[in-house]
Amino acid sequence: MSGPVNDESRLRLTVLGGSAPTPGPGIGCSGYLLRLGRTAVVIDFGPGIFAELQRHFDVRSLDAIVISHMHVDHVLDLLALRHALAHDPVRPLRPLPVWLPPGGADLLREAAAPFDRCDAVGRFDYWVRMREYDPSAPLSLGSLTLQFAPTVHDIPCWAIRVDSVVGAIGYTADTGPSADLSGFFADIDLLIAEATLTGPTADPSRGSLTPAEAGALATACGSNSLLLTHFWPSTDRADALRRGASTFKGRIEVAQPGLEVEIDSRRRA
Ligand SMILES: [Zn+2]
């Protein structure tokens, strides 16, 4: 675990999970730690992510947690976080900003209400400062600027593009192939793409991608590299990697907790 470091030349992704819709053995659901200089942001906070995050970074030093959509496998550890911040004797210096999609704050307060009734310490938003982002506007978090684009999913969901002076990372969140995200992700350095599906893919309105579709999206947007994620616990990762590589010829990896990917401005120059 570490706090902020002051290296403005490296944009670092630390993968915190990659399983869906439940944690798998040794791997939590969706969560990605991004660090640049003194800025540290986690995108999505599904079950298993809080435990893995503590191997890499002190949650109290985060600039923010940002949530793509309100499915359980992307948000559930916010409840664990709330309990931790309320009871841990090491207090955060300030309430932790949690940026939710529109409508997310009420949903999370409703989810937390039963736990508030059996916990005398405090309400959900005592140490967690819940806010809702405007998907049509950029969100500036320290050295990182986030933008949002709607995906095709069974509830409202936003893909996220993260820009910095060092480089750019795209995250599909959960999406089907009919979302047109290639322009939104144009010329990024790394695409984090869900690659959930292993079975038949005939339904054009479905809300998830195959590994080959994730690879095709990375190719279409001109990404240098691709990280496949959001796999069923039973998915054969090596097979997913092969299928992703059938449509993308750059560097490609599958999500595993602790995997680090760096974008280095000196190497880009
Ligand atoms: Zn989802």
Side-chain angles (χ1 to χ4, degrees), residues 234-249:
S234 58
T235 295
D236 179 340
R237 267 56 167 184
D239 181 60
L241 198 60
R242 279 191 295 274
R243 293 208 251 165
S246 71
T247 51
F248 179 69
K249 301 309 175 191

Side-chain angles (χ1 to χ4, degrees), residues 15-72:
V15 178
L16 303 176
S19 186
T22 67
I27 181 170
C29 290
S30 293
Y32 308 91
L33 169 62
L34 300 178
R35 284 177 281 183
L36 174 60
R38 295 189 178 280
T39 301
V41 172
V42 170
I43 296 178
D44 282 346
F45 213 67
I49 296 307
F50 191 18
E52 180 64 26
L53 175 63
Q54 291 171 75
R55 297 183 193 272
H56 309 283
F57 201 82
D58 187 338
V59 70
R60 289 163 289 225
S61 298
L62 287 176
D63 290 85
I65 295 172
V66 183
I67 300 297
S68 65
H69 69 300
M70 297 304 291
H71 271 159
V72 162

Side-chain angles (χ1 to χ4, degrees), residues 144-205:
L144 305 176
T145 301
L146 279 62
Q147 297 178 83
F148 304 89
T151 76
V152 173
H153 200 45
D154 50 345
I155 64 169
C157 178
W158 278 267
I160 300 173
R161 178 183 174 120
V162 182
D163 282 283
S164 73
V165 294
V166 176
I169 292 176
Y171 172 48
T172 63
D174 290 3
T175 188
S178 58
D180 182 10
L181 296 172
S182 57
F184 177 62
F185 289 138
D187 299 324
I188 57 176
D189 297 275
L190 167 66
L191 179 65
I192 305 168
E194 74 122 283
T196 315
L197 297 178
T198 56
T201 57
D203 177 8
S205 63

